[in-house]
Amino acid sequence: MLPATPSGSIESVRLEAAGFERIYRLYVPPQHDAAEPAALVVDLHGFGSNPEDQDRSSEMRRLADVAGFVVAQPAARGAIPTWNPQPGEDGAAADVRFIRALVADVGERVAIDAGKVFATGFSNGGGMVHRLACDAADVFAAVGTVAGQYPLVEECDPVQPIALMSFHGTNDLVVPIAGVSRVFPDVNAWVDRWARRNGCAPVPARRSIGDDVLVDTWAACDAGVEVVFHTIEDGGHAWPGTSGGSFFATTSEVSASQEMWAFFMKHARS
């Protein structure tokens, strides 16, 4: 057993995984009760970024101070830090093994509820979260993505249904919502594929949040999961509802982090 991480602390943790030394930031909120297993949110940064920048985008630690969950923000590898979500590649397998090892390592440091382990990611990190949903649905009860890059969506066979929430802007010029040739698929088609993969009803219920946000929800899915997609009208490559981390336009009518957290709690596993 490793030394327990005290409440109200943030630390940089080094971890050996898949033959590489990896790093993640671990945050335990001040109100954490060591005797009470907490939820864990693994929050992945985008291409060329880092855990600190991701926290400025998602403000996940700020939300953790209110909601009481533990946050782990891992760093990708490379001179330009990049996650590898491409299925079948050694880099993708190594990244999945790292995230699996991270979850286990956090569990050695802090009491974690295994039914309340979730993942979020932005851009390239969102693509990696898609890969985790495909290859580590036994670990994660639900996932959330923002402006994600989702390669080779056909190669995905989760061991069980997994709840998914996603956000994407119609004016995202970095990862266009309509896709990029064969590199990234149309995001609406990607979400629909997840709904079919999870055995959901074929037609989503639709509602609006303010003037900027259209929400499609696929329900009646296998194992009680849902697939929820937020389309941000005129939104760019940015995390909705937070104050920092991007110069691209987004909306203040919805907080992606708060919406994800409520969704995660709804889909915690027993």
Side-chain angles (χ1 to χ4, degrees), residues 51-266:
E52 293 79 9
D53 283 346
Q54 174 60 16
D55 193 64
R56 280 188 284 273
S57 293
S58 69
E59 296 183 352
M60 203 60 71
R61 286 196 295 117
R62 179 181 295 185
L63 181 57
D65 284 340
V66 176
F69 58 85
V70 173
V71 183
Q73 292 166 318
R77 292 179 58 241
I80 300 176
T82 309
W83 301 105
N84 188 342
Q86 295 278 5
E89 294 193 4
D90 291 344
D95 279 343
V96 171
R97 287 170 63 187
F98 166 45
I99 301 300
R100 283 181 173 273
L102 177 157
V103 172
D105 190 66
V106 172
E108 291 290 318
R109 299 169 183 274
V110 188
I112 296 298
D113 185 334
K116 297 179 180 177
V117 178
F118 312 106
T120 67
F122 175 68
S123 193
N124 171 235
M128 192 65 221
V129 167
H130 161 75
R131 183 49 39 201
L132 292 172
C134 295
D135 296 350
D138 55 317
V139 174
F140 296 97
V143 297
T145 69
V146 174
Q149 303 166 329
Y150 313 112
L152 296 177
V153 296
E154 307 293 339
E155 299 186 34
C156 180
D157 187 21
V159 296
Q160 63 192 55
I162 181 169
L164 180 143
M165 175 174 279
S166 187
F167 298 76
H168 214 103
T170 62
N171 197 34
D172 189 331
L173 302 181
V174 179
V175 183
I177 195 169
V180 180
S181 62
R182 297 184 62 185
V183 179
F184 303 120
D186 179 286
V187 178
N188 285 281
W190 170 80
V191 176
D192 183 71
R193 180 59 56 87
W194 264 111
R196 284 185 281 148
R197 192 177 287 126
N198 278 333
C200 305
V203 180
R206 176 166 285 184
R207 64 185 176 92
S208 298
I209 301 176
D211 296 327
D212 298 340
V213 186
L214 185 67
V215 186
D216 289 320
T217 300
W218 286 261
C221 311
D222 295 341
V225 305
E226 292 177 301
V227 173
V228 181
F229 181 50
H230 297 72
T231 303
I232 312 300
E233 185 65 31
D234 294 327
H237 197 65
W239 193 281
T242 59
S243 59
S246 176
F247 55 83
F248 293 109
T250 187
T251 182
S252 60
E253 292 185 335
V254 65
S255 164
S257 296
Q258 291 179 17
E259 290 289 313
M260 286 181 192
W261 175 242
F263 182 76
F264 292 166
M265 285 294 93
K266 182 179 180 181

